[in-house]
Amino acid sequence: MAKLKGGLLEKLVPVLLVASIGLAFAVGVLWQKVSQLEGGGTKVPTTTTGANDSGNAAAQPQAASKLSNLEGVVSTIGVDVNKYKSCVEAGKYKDRVENDYQGGIQAGVQGTPGSFIVNKKGEVWFVAGAYPYESVKQVIDMALGKGTGTLPQGVEKYSADKAAKLPKLTSSDHVRGDRNADVLLIEYSDFQCPFCQRFHPTAQQALDENKEVAWVYRHFPLDQLHPLARPAALASECVAEIGGDEAFWKFADEVFGS
């Protein structure tokens, strides 16, 4: 009996070892996929502070804390809370948020932030992830015809066919700056995404330091990762209904802490 048990154990040990290795590999792959999705799916050069920098994980609790008290955010920015509550309860903007999301999918967005830099010629550059300002500025200069260097690693200039899939600017888009600007920075974002929180001041800097640029915000809630993102997107639309784009951007600034 002892020999039988020993032989069985000897046979099981290799099987269990292989199974453990396989499980560890699967967990590693899953973690990598989640990181790519949340960070825009692009690995930014290690010489910059990019989308997949693990040091940004600390940003998550701050945004989540604010999003768990949306009425508090609304009150802080001076929007009528009762009107806001009525709007949210009516569920008026579910289609609007979903249309933004589907438009992002159509344009090639897989994670957040996913940004497009578009010039008057209709040329489109896709910036997937929380790139630093220096990289964003480099692409803006190219869009303005000022830059002749190579693109930052991971940034893609779209072909005409791919560029045509990016939804055009509409009157319902939330725009900070001049709608007729020479360059649009169209960001697909998620209010609970820590990388979006990092990119928010970068986009603001791009607007502040480049008079030819306007910033467009579109919703791309990653529901499986960020359960508070879609409710926040719906809240932001109600805020915009009550207070216009100025209130919308105040909401975004408050959530992202800028």
Side-chain angles (χ1 to χ4, degrees):
M1 180 64 71
K3 289 184 178 180
L4 180 60
K5 288 183 178 179
L8 181 60
L9 185 60
E10 287 179 359
K11 291 180 181 180
L12 284 176
V13 167
V15 174
L16 292 173
L17 180 60
V18 171
S20 298
I21 293 172
L23 179 60
F25 177 78
V27 170
V29 170
L30 179 60
W31 176 254
Q32 183 181 38
K33 291 292 185 183
V34 169
S35 297
Q36 287 180 335
L37 180 63
E38 195 173 54
T42 298
K43 189 172 183 179
V44 182
T46 55
T47 54
T48 64
T49 304
N52 291 323
D53 187 340
S54 61
N56 196 46
Q60 178 84 15
Q62 180 182 350
S65 176
K66 290 184 178 181
L67 297 183
S68 64
N69 181 22
L70 288 171
E71 288 184 17
V73 174
V74 171
S75 176
T76 297
I77 63 174
V79 170
D80 188 302
V81 174
N82 289 327
K83 289 182 179 179
Y84 159 78
K85 290 170 66 175
S86 296
C87 175
V88 169
E89 289 169 3
K92 298 168 65 174
Y93 291 102
K94 292 180 180 179
D95 288 345
R96 162 62 196 273
V97 171
E98 184 61 21
N99 286 341
D100 269 6
Y101 180 83
Q102 293 300 329
I105 292 289
Q106 172 184 299
V109 179
Q110 296 182 357
T112 54
S115 302
F116 298 89
I117 294 175
V118 186
N119 64 15
K120 289 289 190 181
K121 296 178 182 178
E123 295 175 307
V124 175
W125 289 261
F126 183 37
V127 182
Y131 277 70
Y133 173 70
E134 292 74 16
S135 297
V136 175
K137 170 64 173 171
Q138 187 177 345
V139 182
I140 289 172
D141 284 345
M142 288 185 177
L144 291 169
K146 299 178 182 178
T148 57
T150 58
L151 286 171
Q153 182 181 335
V155 174
E156 177 186 359
K157 184 176 182 181
Y158 270 13
S159 65
D161 288 343
K162 290 186 73 172
K165 295 180 180 180
L166 176 66
K168 303 297 184 184
L169 186 70
T170 70
S171 59
S172 64
D173 272 311
H174 302 296
V175 182
R176 195 171 230 174
D178 183 359
R179 284 178 171 269
N180 296 312
D182 291 335
V183 170
L184 297 177
L185 193 167
I186 302 174
E187 179 192 2
Y188 284 84
S189 186
D190 169 314
F191 280 120
Q192 198 180 348
C193 165
F195 297 104
C196 300
Q197 185 174 24
R198 164 180 288 175
F199 189 70
H200 196 73
T202 299
Q204 183 62 54
Q205 184 178 359
L207 184 67
D208 292 341
E209 298 188 11
N210 300 274
K211 295 180 181 179
E212 309 95 333
V213 175
W215 179 11
V216 183
Y217 186 103
R218 289 175 178 169
H219 302 290
F220 200 84
L222 301 174
D223 297 313
Q224 292 183 332
L225 296 176
H226 302 144
L228 301 179
R230 191 173 292 265
L234 296 171
S236 72
E237 290 301 325
C238 283
V239 165
E241 176 188 298
I242 299 165
D245 261 358
E246 181 180 356
F248 172 87
W249 287 103
K250 284 183 179 179
F251 179 92
D253 290 344
E254 179 64 23
V255 169
F256 288 130
S258 64

